[in-house]
């Protein structure tokens, strides 16, 4: 199943049409996406039998972030070998975790203001959406706690991220609009192999990042095991799983996002988000 947020309402997508979950369920579910995620198994059951006649055409650029207000957002640094190498850091022995504060979340077509520092960078990432509470979950059982995937950009202001005396990953990656996600929440049964998806990022039409999610150092189940050993993961929580090689800061000379740039991030079988940038 493919779901989305249109105008703050959770919908099921059916080709170019959508079914409003709150309307079709006569208020049993939704319209708030997080409220649907809170009852994800019940919703899946209902969705199997929903009358698909009440469909509305989806207008272009109509989508908001599929989960606009998650309670927690986890993000993993240096989770692809080639990206760790370009950062001149040994691959970590355990996941390197930070947060992108939820107020930085925006939709898949958002125009994003660039901080005046001029050192904002791109990081395309596979984003996991949690579908059931997870506490002390083993990797073997972890997929049962996943609602699906979406596409995300871990936009990063490198100057603040790397400022001393200790790096400020969470704040540097949480400027207004620095967490675009979408366009759809895609359940795993839609994907031929959820553990091996092509992932790509293009800047003004040029491919700048390309990889496969099978190259993750810590895969999705081990991330859920690692995080849920510390605290409870809640429905609707997001996990940004890390970015492949090809970020701007690692280039010689470094390349940063400029006003007018267009950044397109794509994951096979999930979809594509597109950001344009402007001066703050
Ligand atoms: Zn990242």
């Amino acid at each position: 199943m493919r779901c989305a947020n249109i105008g703050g309402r959770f919908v099921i997508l059916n080709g170019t049409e959508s079914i409003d979950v709150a309307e079709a369920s006569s208020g049993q579910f939704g319209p708030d996406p997080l409220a649907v995620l809170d009852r994800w198994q019940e919703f899946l059951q209902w969705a199997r039998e929903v009358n698909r006649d009440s469909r509305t055409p989806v207008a272009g650029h109509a989508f908001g972030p599929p989960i606009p207000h998650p309670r927690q957002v986890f993000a993993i640094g240096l989770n692809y070998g080639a990206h760790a190498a370009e950062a001149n850091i040994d691959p970590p022995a355990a996941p390197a975790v930070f947060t992108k504060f939820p107020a930085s979340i925006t939709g898949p077509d958002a125009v994003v203001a660039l901080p005046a520092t001029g050192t904002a960078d791109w990081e395309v990432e596979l984003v996991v959406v949690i579908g059931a509470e997870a506490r002390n979950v083993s990797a073997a059982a972890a997929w049962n706690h996943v609602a699906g995937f979406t596409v995300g950009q871990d936009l990063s202001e490198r100057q603040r991220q790397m400022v001393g005396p200790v790096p400020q990953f969470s704040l540097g990656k949480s400027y207004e609009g620095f967490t675009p996600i979408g366009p759809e929440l895609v359940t795993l049964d839609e994907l031929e192999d959820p553990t091996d998806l092509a992932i790509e990022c293009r800047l003004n039409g040029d491919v700048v990042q390309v990889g496969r999610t099978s190259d993750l150092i810590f895969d999705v189940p081990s991330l859920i095991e690692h995080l849920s050993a510390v605290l409870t993961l809640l429905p609707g929580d997001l996990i940004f799983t890390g970015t492949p090689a090809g970020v701007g800061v690692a280039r010689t000379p470094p390349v940063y996002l400029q006003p007018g740039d267009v950044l397109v991030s794509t994951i096979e079988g999930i979809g594509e988000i597109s950001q344009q940038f402007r001066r703050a």
Side-chain angles (χ1 to χ4, degrees):
M1 186 169 43
R2 310 183 77 92
C3 300
N5 161 15
I6 297 184
R9 302 177 68 86
F10 202 65
V11 302
I12 298 171
L13 296 168
N14 218 328
T16 57
E17 297 178 314
S18 70
I19 298 164
D20 185 288
V21 168
E23 269 175 32
S25 70
S26 303
Q28 188 188 344
F29 295 102
D32 174 25
L34 196 51
V36 179
L37 264 299
D38 275 336
R39 296 161 62 202
W40 189 245
Q41 285 307 321
E42 207 184 323
F43 167 73
L44 289 180
Q45 188 78 33
W46 170 83
R48 260 178 232 124
E49 289 146 27
V50 63
N51 177 354
R52 298 191 178 240
D53 292 342
S54 55
R55 294 182 291 189
T56 314
V58 175
H61 304 281
F63 294 0
I67 314 296
H69 305 293
R71 284 166 281 225
Q72 306 182 94
V73 181
F74 302 91
I76 311 301
L78 307 165
N79 203 17
Y80 287 81
H83 174 57
E86 74 179 352
N88 290 315
I89 296 175
D90 289 338
V97 184
F98 58 94
T99 190
K100 289 172 77 67
F101 294 108
S104 65
I105 289 176
T106 189
D109 303 305
V111 176
V112 179
L114 291 169
T117 47
T119 50
D121 198 352
W122 56 83
E123 295 192 356
V124 61
E125 305 202 8
L126 174 73
V127 178
V128 178
V129 181
I130 295 295
E133 205 170 282
R135 176 77 177 127
N136 287 321
V137 169
S138 69
W143 286 117
N144 299 331
H145 297 262
V146 174
F149 291 153
T150 193
V151 182
Q153 255 295 335
D154 176 17
L155 293 172
S156 304
E157 203 290 298
R158 298 300 188 195
Q159 203 167 306
R160 187 175 289 278
Q161 178 189 340
M162 305 301 189
V163 73
V166 291
Q168 296 291 307
F169 274 55
S170 299
L171 203 54
K173 290 160 172 275
S174 294
Y175 280 78
E176 193 83 39
F178 267 37
T179 308
I181 54 170
E184 301 173 5
L185 164 58
V186 178
T187 56
L188 304 180
D189 57 316
E190 294 276 329
L191 305 165
E192 202 178 305
D193 181 356
T195 67
D196 182 29
L197 305 169
I199 179 167
E200 182 186 279
C201 177
R202 278 169 286 151
L203 177 63
N204 302 324
D206 296 330
V207 175
V208 287
Q209 290 186 282
V210 60
R212 299 200 70 86
T213 60
S214 49
D215 289 332
L216 285 171
I217 297 172
F218 300 101
D219 62 9
V220 171
S222 42
L223 291 176
I224 289 173
E225 177 175 289
H226 180 80
L227 295 169
S228 77
V230 176
L231 79 177
T232 304
L233 308 189
L234 300 167
D237 283 0
L238 306 179
I239 305 172
F240 278 69
T241 55
T243 200
V247 298
V249 70
R251 291 163 187 263
T252 315
V255 179
Y256 297 113
L257 293 163
Q258 303 297 325
D261 279 354
V262 176
L263 189 69
V264 177
S265 309
T266 311
I267 302 179
E268 178 185 10
I270 304 178
E272 183 171 290
I273 62 173
S274 175
Q275 273 56 62
Q276 197 171 344
F277 296 89
R278 64 171 176 81
R279 250 173 251 289

